[in-house]
């Protein structure tokens, strides 16, 4: 039957689906939003409440099915993403001096050195040798050269919150072990997303090595990514905290939403501001959500109050937004040797990121047509780079990243003093100062 469907019809259907899925209020994503409504009454398959023979039977715990676990935290679970601080300017305050005592990479060195080994030995296990090898590709010695910012921030934040209060002592005796497992899970989810992204984007390299699908093929790369998500889900459930499961599961939904938004691109005829907001929302879904919700989950595991949970979420959210903004700058300023992937890979893939979106505010007539045709014509990429450099788009992107870093640092101001809190501040500054 598929052979009788013309390419034009297929493209029209695909475009229609992407159009619907990319809308913030799309019904395709409305299932999670039902948490903010009252739970609906039980109905049978025909929707007839009166025909239900158990209508007067109360099932233990059923009154909580599909209800929010923590109503006070719904704003974080369903973040409206309505404030991006586009008009804010960085304060210009220099970071505090870095010493070895508060260097986040030195403080986390032992944990990070054993993280990949722990994932390989404890979390990844398959009877299929090729699948196991593919899934462990970025966790093998010599290949695990990622920055590991996500697990690092989870563990540093966990220790900072522990020093802030000893409330965790009455919650679970294995708290830090659970938080470490959470850090490993966050890295597994991130790695799975890289497997999938590289297949979708047709990337040749990742972290300076051949992409997984170049080594094992597209099908095995997708299956390996799915397998990592499945294993992460199993070990997430073993943390025995339903709110953490809900929070971390939201990340996977957000990864899909972000990829759909990226595939669709910005709307034709959208204003510069609308394009920028859509881009930032996509960045949250693809990058910042994992950091925000992993940090939030570390606080939930500790049984901390809503104020601390919100602080953890905001730290991860705004550091994640800044992280991706800097990534987009490095696409222009970096090189294949420092980035582990070709320079200008976003432009060559047809993606309009912050530097070119800021440039379009200065040169709309020159850049908007190129953005809408996804830089497909010869000379489009070179022209876009030139306009970015002339417009100050890179500096504006760095300034916006700095604004979000300052918000992240402010978010954890209420935590008590500790070397781990200071290390989190240093980590935030390192995100904007990095070259890879």
């Amino acid at each position: 039957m598929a052979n009788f469907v013309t390419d034009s019809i297929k493209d029209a259907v695909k475009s229609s689906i992407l159009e619907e899925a990319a809308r913030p209020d799309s019904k395709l994503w409305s299932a999670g939003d039902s948490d903010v409504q009252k739970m609906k009454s039980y109905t049978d398959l025909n929707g007839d409440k009166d025909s239900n023979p158990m209508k007067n039977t109360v099932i233990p715990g059923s009154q909580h099915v599909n209800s929010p676990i923590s109503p006070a935290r719904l704003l974080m679970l369903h973040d409206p993403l309505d404030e991006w601080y586009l008009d804010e300017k960085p304060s210009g305050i220099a970071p505090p001096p870095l010493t070895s005592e508060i260097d986040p990479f030195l403080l986390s060195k032992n944990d990070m050195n054993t993280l990949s080994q722990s994932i390989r030995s404890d979390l990844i296990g398959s009877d299929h040798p090729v699948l196991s090898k593919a899934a462990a590709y970025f966790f093998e010695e010599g290949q695990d050269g990622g920055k590991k910012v996500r697990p690092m921030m989870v563990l540093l934040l966990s220790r900072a919150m522990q020093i802030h209060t000893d409330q965790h002592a009455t919650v679970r005796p294995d708290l830090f072990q659970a938080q470490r497992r959470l850090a490993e899970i966050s890295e597994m989810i991130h790695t799975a997303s890289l497997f999938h992204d590289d297949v979708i984007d047709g990337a040749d390299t990742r972290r300076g090595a051949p992409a997984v699908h170049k080594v094992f093929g597209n099908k095995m790369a997708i299956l390996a990514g799915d397998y990592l998500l499945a294993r992460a889900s199993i070990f997430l459930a073993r943390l025995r905290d339903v709110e953490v499961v809900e929070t971390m599961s939201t990340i996977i939904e957000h990864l899909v939403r972000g990829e759909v938004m990226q595939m669709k691109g910005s709307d034709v005829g959208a204003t510069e501001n609308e394009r920028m907001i859509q881009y930032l929302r996509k960045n949250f879904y693809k990058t910042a959500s994992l950091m925000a919700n992993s940090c939030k989950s570390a606080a939930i595991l500790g049984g901390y109050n809503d104020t601390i949970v919100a602080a953890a979420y905001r730290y991860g959210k705004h550091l994640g937004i800044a992280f991706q903004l800097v990534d987009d700058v490095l696409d222009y300023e970096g090189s294949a040797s420092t980035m582990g992937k070709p320079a200008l890979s976003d432009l060559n893939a047809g993606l309009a990121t912050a530097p070119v979106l800021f440039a379009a505010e200065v040169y709309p007539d020159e850049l908007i047509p190129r953005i809408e045709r996804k830089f497909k014509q010869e000379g489009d990429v070179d022209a876009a780079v030139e306009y970015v450099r002339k417009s100050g788009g890179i500096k504006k992107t760095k300034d916006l990243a700095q604004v979000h870093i300052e918000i992240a640092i402010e978010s954890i101001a209420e935590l008590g003093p500790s070397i781990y809190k200071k290390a989190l501040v240093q980590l935030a500054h390192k995100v904007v100062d990095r070259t890879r």
Side-chain angles (χ1 to χ4, degrees):
M1 179 63 73
N3 294 333
F4 295 98
V5 180
T6 65
D7 289 341
S8 61
I9 293 176
K10 291 178 182 177
D11 290 342
V13 171
K14 177 182 176 182
S15 177
S16 177
I17 293 173
L18 288 175
E19 183 76 29
E20 171 62 25
R23 288 174 47 220
D25 59 346
S26 172
K27 293 181 180 179
L28 292 175
W29 311 106
S30 62
D33 296 335
S34 64
D35 290 343
V36 298
Q37 304 168 355
K38 290 184 178 180
M39 188 181 71
K40 295 181 178 179
S41 300
Y42 177 93
T43 58
D44 66 2
L45 291 176
N46 296 317
D48 182 359
K49 288 182 286 186
D50 292 334
S51 67
N52 174 24
M54 297 181 65
K55 66 179 181 178
N56 294 320
T57 303
V58 177
I59 302 173
S62 64
Q63 65 270 29
H64 300 301
V65 173
N66 209 35
S67 295
I69 296 169
S70 176
R73 297 171 188 167
L74 272 181
L75 189 60
M76 285 176 277
L77 197 60
H78 302 287
D79 192 330
L81 303 177
D82 54 1
E83 183 53 83
W84 298 107
Y85 304 94
L86 290 170
D87 297 325
E88 298 287 328
K89 300 296 180 185
S91 67
I93 299 175
L98 176 63
T99 64
S100 59
E101 184 186 35
I102 58 173
D103 186 322
F105 291 90
L106 290 178
L107 270 179
S108 306
K109 185 177 180 180
N110 290 338
D111 286 321
M112 296 304 103
N113 284 346
T114 58
L115 183 120
S116 291
Q117 179 184 350
S118 177
I119 292 175
R120 284 198 314 270
S121 60
D122 297 341
L123 276 68
I124 297 177
S126 171
D127 294 335
H128 195 295
V130 178
L131 176 60
S132 183
K133 189 75 173 176
Y137 184 70
F138 281 139
F139 301 112
E140 298 288 353
E141 289 186 27
Q143 292 280 31
D144 60 341
K147 294 172 281 292
K148 297 187 178 69
V149 170
R150 294 151 194 85
M152 185 183 300
M153 62 197 300
V154 167
L155 294 180
L156 288 173
L157 186 61
S158 296
R159 288 189 166 103
M161 291 185 295
Q162 179 180 340
I163 291 174
H164 176 74
T165 174
D166 61 1
Q167 178 184 351
H168 71 278
T170 61
V171 178
R172 54 188 303 167
D174 64 338
L175 177 57
F176 189 74
Q177 289 88 343
Q179 289 167 328
R180 178 183 165 85
R181 180 51 48 90
L182 177 71
E184 294 167 350
I185 289 168
S186 72
E187 189 68 4
M188 290 175 72
I189 294 173
H190 169 59
T191 303
S193 74
L194 299 184
F195 287 10
H196 291 161
D197 282 356
D198 287 346
V199 172
I200 293 170
D201 299 339
D204 292 328
T205 60
R206 170 71 68 173
R207 297 177 179 172
V212 175
H213 67 99
K214 289 295 182 180
V215 178
F216 298 96
N218 283 352
K219 291 182 179 179
M220 187 55 68
I222 292 295
L223 288 172
D226 292 347
Y227 179 71
L228 280 176
L229 290 176
R231 295 293 291 177
S233 298
I234 290 171
F235 285 94
L236 180 61
R238 289 179 183 173
L239 292 178
R240 302 295 187 256
D241 190 306
V242 182
E243 188 175 4
V244 169
V245 172
E246 181 179 24
T247 300
M248 295 296 288
S249 297
T250 303
I251 295 167
I252 300 174
E253 177 193 323
H254 286 172
L255 288 170
V256 177
R257 294 183 74 159
E259 193 59 48
V260 168
M261 292 178 71
Q262 182 164 292
M263 289 171 63
K264 178 183 176 296
S266 58
D267 296 328
V268 174
T271 66
E272 288 90 342
N273 189 62
E274 288 170 341
R275 283 192 182 87
M276 181 63 77
I277 289 174
Q278 184 180 24
Y279 153 82
L280 289 168
R281 290 180 68 93
K282 182 263 293 182
N283 279 2
F284 172 80
Y285 289 137
K286 289 198 63 171
T287 303
S289 173
L290 176 53
M291 296 185 177
N293 285 300
S294 295
C295 289
K296 175 189 170 187
S297 295
I300 294 171
L301 282 173
Y304 302 118
N305 62 39
D306 289 346
T307 301
I308 300 301
V309 173
Y313 176 82
R314 282 175 57 81
Y315 177 83
K317 173 184 176 180
H318 292 285
L319 189 145
I321 292 169
F323 186 95
Q324 188 57 51
L325 286 166
V326 174
D327 239 27
D328 294 341
V329 166
L330 292 176
D331 195 48
Y332 290 83
E333 294 187 335
S335 63
S337 60
T338 58
M339 289 291 289
K341 60 182 179 180
L344 301 178
S345 59
D346 290 334
L347 278 180
N348 284 305
L351 302 178
T353 57
V356 77
L357 291 174
F358 277 124
E361 295 176 358
V362 181
Y363 298 103
D365 295 339
E366 294 82 0
L367 282 173
I368 289 176
R370 290 181 166 92
I371 290 171
E372 291 183 344
R373 63 176 177 251
K374 299 187 175 182
F375 312 103
K376 287 183 178 179
Q377 290 187 10
E378 186 175 352
D380 278 355
V381 170
D382 291 338
V385 171
E386 182 61 26
Y387 285 118
V388 165
R389 301 203 186 285
K390 288 197 299 184
S391 67
I394 289 177
K395 183 181 184 305
K396 291 177 182 177
T397 303
K398 289 180 176 179
D399 284 349
L400 183 58
Q402 184 64 40
V403 166
H404 282 278
I405 283 302
E406 291 173 3
I407 296 170
I409 292 171
E410 182 184 348
S411 299
I412 58 170
E414 59 193 276
L415 291 181
S418 70
I419 58 172
Y420 301 106
K421 177 183 174 180
K422 291 179 179 179
L424 288 167
V425 172
Q426 293 293 339
L427 179 62
H429 286 292
K430 283 180 175 291
V431 161
V432 292
D433 293 335
R434 66 195 174 95
T435 57
R436 60 182 291 268

